Amino acid sequence: MTNDDGHGGRGDEGETRLAAELAGARAELAELKRTIESLEERNLALQGVVDDASPGPDAAGRAGLDDLLEGCQIIGFDWRFLYLNDSAAAQGRIPREKFLGRTMQEVLPGVERTEMFGVLERCMKERRSLFFENEFLYADGSSGWFELRVRPHQDGIFLLSIDITERKRAERELMDSKAFVEAIVENVPLMIFLKDAKDLTFVLFNRAGEELLGHNREVFLGKNDADFFPAEQAASFTATDRAVLEGKFGTLDIPEETVLTATQEQRLLHTRKVCIRGADGTPKYLLGISEDITLRKRAEEERAALEAQLFQAQKMDSVGRLAGGVAHDFNNMLGVILGHTEMAMEVVAPGSPLHADLEEIRKAARRSADLTRQLLGFARRQTVTPRVLDLNDTVASILTMLGRLIGEHIRLAWLPCEGLWPLEVDPSQIDQVLTNLCVNARDAISGVGKLTIETRNVTLDERESAAHLGSVPGDYVRLSISDDGCGMDEETQAKLFEPFFTTKELGSGTGLGLATVYGIVKQNDGFIEVHSELGRGSTFNIFLPRYEGSVLAVRMNAPAEPSLRGRETILLVEDEEALLGMTRTMLEKSGYVVLTASTAGEAVRLAEAHAGEIHLLLTDVIMPEMNGRDLAKALVGQRPRLACLFMSGYTADVIAGTGGPDEDVNFIPKPFTIQALCAKVRQALDGNRTR
């Protein structure tokens, strides 16, 4: 019992002590609660902002609200302002005292029609907190932006307003700036792309890039180069991207890089790549800007080609002037040599050794005359007699001769075009062109081969003619000569038409064949193209302008062989003394009376002083004081029945002004034989009588 009693006594004491401790704790908790509630009431508004507690109406709480920079307002159920702090009054730009006791509708007329009023009204009715942004319009027309937090209050609603005007302005400026940048990126005629620095996937692609590559820009987003370009090309792009992101380049400039479009078309780009880093300095994006330079590069190449053609044309023209000048003087000397040789042969017995020597001299003089004629052809100063012809007929007429020229080991193919347009050209020039080109083709073929001659009608438009210096848009007849010979390298082609340039062995050619072809083509307002590769043969395409006039077939009987002698009086004008004497001797041996003058002025004075009739003026074309044509006009004015015969070792362009004599002008090129001279003199005299 004792033990039980003792045990029971100790339990009562513990329970008493525990009850006392619990009572003390309850008292402390109650005091703490009252303290907390007091603090909550004193800082009601601030606590409401922090932990969503509703503010109380006591003076202590409202004093805390007055210290806030945010606008605080309490609006009653009847929409009257029960309280607002200085910040709220400042935000509304209305003195604080004009708010208190008045309704929102009185202070802010028309407020009931605003979005803000609708939100406040919903909070008032539904008794729940709301958050929104609102633009407030002031009486002076300006506006401000506010962040509004509204929550139920025991007297109505509590409204906290934070002025975010500057933030909104900054956001608007940022949006405007972003829109501005996006407009530039979208409309600039350059491909602009942005890649994520981590995996190099596209995050931005503009319209110019879309148009350039032919892919929809949305397809690029989230993918990388390997998804669109060949493996080797994609690897190259990735390598340069990584190099930029790793800081090996500030801005990587790639002058030329090739890219394949969606249609597998190659485009040439000039690209710049730069790394865009974040605030911490780590790479965020790779920015790429690419300009399509395909057309510009093509234009540069075309311009370079045109400049090369122009340089070649200028060089050829300069060489041509030199060649023409040399040929003119050389022909005068050849005339003297040839004339005296022929006169000497007339008095030497045909069987004598001297006659044989003279024959060799005459042959050499004639071969030299052929060389000067080729020089004049290159210089475009040949005297020609163009006529309207069918090129097919002209080519066909000499095919047999060309076949013998190239030999049996070369097969000659002739491919004429049906309905070929007519040309106006000297047929002998066509013969020269074909002969020279076929001989060159023959020499380029080792062993058995093939040579093809083809004609075709060709029309060149503006773009095509721009690629050929000296050509104009229009219709052309094309004459093509192709061989399957050894071909030519670019260095050889660059000098191909220069006189005396040859790839043949010494003594195998003069180097004037292609120069003559070039001159003939240019003299007839055409142009020539050459396509050749080593081991693949060569093709010469000659373009001659189509004759646009009417084509009439005219057949004329061959004129009767004229007499080589006469008794008429001839006024001979030649500034080269040796040639003057030789020509005088030729004419006098044929029975003519010859008056000689070494200048045009002397010829005029001689004609004025001569009492008898002068039947023929035989004059050089190019003379120091006056050209032959002007001299003829002056003398014909004095003597209307005077016949005229012009001679020159250069050209007849002073007479006609077109590179060849008029059809009714009598002309004999130097050097000439006695027979050729006397035949022309007789033709001029007899033709003058029939007028």
Side-chain angles (χ1 to χ4, degrees):
M1 294 294 292
T2 304
N3 291 336
D4 292 339
D5 291 342
H7 177 73
R10 287 194 301 270
D12 293 339
E13 290 177 3
E15 289 176 358
T16 302
R17 189 169 53 253
L18 179 60
E21 290 175 353
L22 289 174
R26 288 192 186 97
E28 290 176 357
L29 287 173
E31 183 64 26
L32 180 60
K33 182 178 179 181
R34 285 193 297 269
T35 301
I36 291 173
E37 288 175 350
S38 177
L39 290 173
E40 286 178 343
E41 289 176 354
R42 289 175 58 85
N43 299 284
L44 195 57
L46 187 58
Q47 292 295 331
V49 173
V50 175
D51 57 12
D52 285 338
S54 298
D58 62 289
R62 294 181 181 182
L65 295 177
D66 287 342
D67 296 331
L68 293 178
L69 296 177
E70 293 81 3
C72 299
Q73 306 170 43
I74 299 174
I75 303 170
F77 289 108
D78 58 356
W79 297 106
R80 294 183 183 277
F81 287 98
L82 304 179
Y83 168 81
L84 76 164
N85 66 356
D86 292 335
S87 296
Q91 290 174 356
R93 296 183 184 177
I94 299 175
R96 183 174 181 180
E97 57 271 13
K98 291 189 176 181
F99 278 94
L100 297 175
R102 302 178 65 190
T103 65
M104 286 188 70
Q105 294 86 336
E106 292 173 341
V107 178
L108 304 171
V111 71
E112 66 275 5
R113 295 189 297 273
T114 65
E115 181 184 2
M116 179 187 69
F117 189 84
V119 175
L120 298 180
E121 190 174 35
R122 191 163 69 251
C123 177
M124 189 86 74
K125 291 179 179 179
E126 298 176 4
R127 309 305 292 169
R128 64 186 180 92
S129 299
L130 297 173
F131 168 83
F132 67 102
E133 292 180 356
N134 180 69
E135 184 178 17
F136 186 80
L137 298 178
Y138 296 106
D140 60 3
S142 62
S143 65
W145 276 91
F146 297 93
E147 181 181 286
L148 302 176
R149 298 172 183 270
V150 56
R151 54 183 50 84
H153 183 268
Q154 60 187 8
D155 296 322
I157 56 175
F158 172 77
L159 179 63
L160 176 68
S161 57
I162 302 173
D163 190 339
I164 59 170
T165 303
E166 290 303 317
R167 191 189 80 190
K168 278 291 185 180
R169 183 177 293 113
E171 289 177 354
R172 184 171 297 171
E173 290 175 356
L174 181 61
M175 291 179 63
D176 291 344
S177 177
K178 182 182 178 183
F180 177 72
V181 172
E182 288 178 348
I184 293 176
V185 170
E186 187 64 11
N187 294 286
V188 72
L190 302 172
M191 181 172 75
I192 298 178
F193 56 88
L194 205 62
K195 295 180 180 179
D196 190 298
K198 294 179 181 178
D199 55 8
L200 291 178
T201 55
F202 290 96
V203 295
L204 181 145
F205 210 84
N206 72 340
R207 182 170 57 191
E210 182 180 52
E211 294 172 351
L212 171 63
L213 297 182
H215 294 286
N216 188 305
R217 76 182 82 181
E218 301 300 329
V219 175
F220 277 92
L221 302 183
K223 297 182 180 179
N224 56 34
D225 291 320
D227 295 313
F228 301 97
F229 306 113
E232 184 177 352
Q233 194 175 62
S236 174
F237 294 159
T238 300
T240 57
D241 291 347
R242 288 299 180 197
V244 172
L245 292 172
E246 291 168 5
K248 295 180 180 179
F249 305 96
T251 297
L252 177 60
D253 187 271
I254 308 171
E256 293 182 12
E257 65 176 358
T258 303
V259 65
L260 283 177
T261 67
T263 58
Q264 299 303 300
E265 178 188 3
Q266 281 195 344
R267 307 296 292 183
L268 197 61
L269 306 182
H270 177 193
T271 300
R272 286 187 174 90
K273 294 181 177 180
V274 63
C275 175
I276 298 178
R277 300 180 181 275
D280 58 357
T282 58
K284 294 294 183 183
Y285 301 103
L286 178 107
L287 172 65
I289 302 175
S290 298
E291 178 186 6
D292 184 0
I293 60 172
T294 308
L295 295 180
R296 187 178 74 192
K297 198 68 178 177
R298 190 177 301 157
E300 289 175 356
E301 292 172 354
E302 291 176 355
R303 182 176 62 189
L306 288 174
E307 288 176 350
Q309 290 182 33
L310 177 60
F311 174 75
Q312 180 70 5
Q314 291 172 335
K315 181 176 69 175
M316 299 296 280
D317 187 64
S318 298
V319 175
R321 290 176 183 273
L322 175 62
V326 170
H328 169 260
D329 293 338
F330 191 43
N331 272 338
N332 282 342
M333 299 300 101
L334 284 176
V336 175
I337 295 170
L338 191 58
H340 283 292
T341 300
E342 288 185 336
M343 287 189 292
M345 291 177 69
E346 290 180 358
V347 298
V348 176
S352 70
L354 180 58
H355 191 280
D357 291 340
L358 290 172
E359 178 62 28
E360 289 302 317
I361 293 174
R362 183 172 69 171
K363 287 180 181 178
R366 286 180 173 175
R367 284 196 299 271
S368 298
D370 289 338
L371 286 177
T372 58
R373 193 158 41 248
Q374 286 183 307
L375 280 174
L376 289 172
F378 165 72
R380 290 169 274 168
R381 289 176 170 84
Q382 275 183 310
T383 301
V384 295
T385 306
R387 65 181 179 86
V388 179
L389 54 82
D390 185 325
L391 183 59
N392 285 341
D393 293 342
T394 305
V395 174
S397 67
I398 63 169
L399 282 178
T400 302
M401 184 271 290
L402 293 176
R404 289 196 297 267
L405 189 66
I406 63 176
E408 295 181 355
H409 65 290
I410 298 175
R411 182 165 64 91
L412 177 61
W414 166 228
L415 305 174
C417 168
E418 294 185 5
L420 195 67
W421 294 325
L423 294 175
E424 186 176 26
V425 65
D426 190 326
S428 66
Q429 290 186 309
I430 299 297
D431 295 349
Q432 282 181 277
V433 168
L434 285 169
T435 300
N436 284 318
L437 290 178
C438 287
V439 167
N440 265 31
R442 177 198 67 191
D443 295 341
I445 297 173
S446 177
V448 177
K450 180 181 179 181
L451 188 151
T452 304
I453 302 175
E454 182 181 5
T455 57
R456 178 171 294 183
N457 295 328
V458 175
T459 298
L460 299 182
D461 57 22
E462 291 281 353
R463 183 184 61 81
E464 292 168 328
S465 67
H468 306 288
L469 191 66
S471 69
V472 295
D475 295 333
Y476 292 84
V477 173
R478 190 184 74 188
L479 173 64
S480 300
I481 296 91
S482 304
D483 66 71
D484 56 1
C486 60
M488 298 173 286
D489 57 25
E490 292 184 1
E491 183 179 357
T492 300
Q493 293 181 55
K495 301 178 180 179
L496 200 56
F497 298 113
E498 295 181 6
F500 308 115
F501 173 76
T502 179
T503 58
K504 299 175 183 177
E505 297 178 359
L506 186 64
S508 299
T510 63
L512 286 173
L514 291 179
T516 301
V517 171
Y518 178 87
I520 289 173
V521 172
K522 289 298 181 182
Q523 189 175 18
N524 288 280
D525 298 324
F527 62 93
I528 184 169
E529 286 183 339
V530 181
H531 301 284
S532 183
E533 291 184 39
L534 285 175
R536 293 179 176 268
S538 303
T539 297
F540 288 78
N541 291 320
I542 295 168
F543 297 80
L544 297 173
R546 172 188 184 180
Y547 175 70
E548 299 290 351
S550 59
V551 180
L552 299 176
V554 179
R555 295 184 178 273
M556 300 180 63
N557 295 325
E561 188 71 25
S563 170
L564 301 183
R565 301 187 60 80
R567 297 179 178 275
E568 292 88 346
T569 299
I570 298 175
L571 175 56
L572 172 63
V573 187
E574 169 61 60
D575 62 334
E576 183 64 47
E577 187 175 345
L579 191 57
L580 177 66
M582 188 271 297
T583 307
R584 177 177 183 170
T585 302
M586 285 181 171
L587 293 172
E588 288 179 340
K589 288 188 66 172
S590 298
Y592 295 102
V593 177
V594 183
L595 306 175
T596 59
S598 58
T599 67
E602 185 181 349
V604 172
R605 291 190 293 272
L606 189 58
E608 291 175 347
H610 186 72
E613 185 175 1
I614 299 176
H615 300 89
L616 176 70
L617 169 67
L618 174 58
T619 179
D620 193 12
V621 174
I622 308 235
M623 296 183 293
E625 295 179 359
M626 183 186 300
N627 65 54
R629 184 173 188 174
D630 292 339
L631 174 61
K633 287 181 179 179
L635 294 182
V636 170
Q638 298 177 11
R639 298 171 178 267
R641 298 180 59 188
L642 179 68
C644 298
L645 174 60
F646 299 96
M647 59 181 175
S648 179
Y650 195 44
T651 177
D653 56 1
V654 176
I655 304 170
T658 60
D662 297 329
E663 292 182 359
D664 59 348
V665 172
N666 297 303
F667 181 84
I668 182 170
K670 299 176 185 177
F672 42 73
T673 63
I674 295 176
Q675 285 190 338
L677 174 63
C678 292
K680 274 292 184 181
V681 167
R682 196 71 259 160
Q683 181 182 340
L685 288 168
D686 295 343
N688 195 49
R689 291 196 187 99
T690 61
R691 290 183 178 179

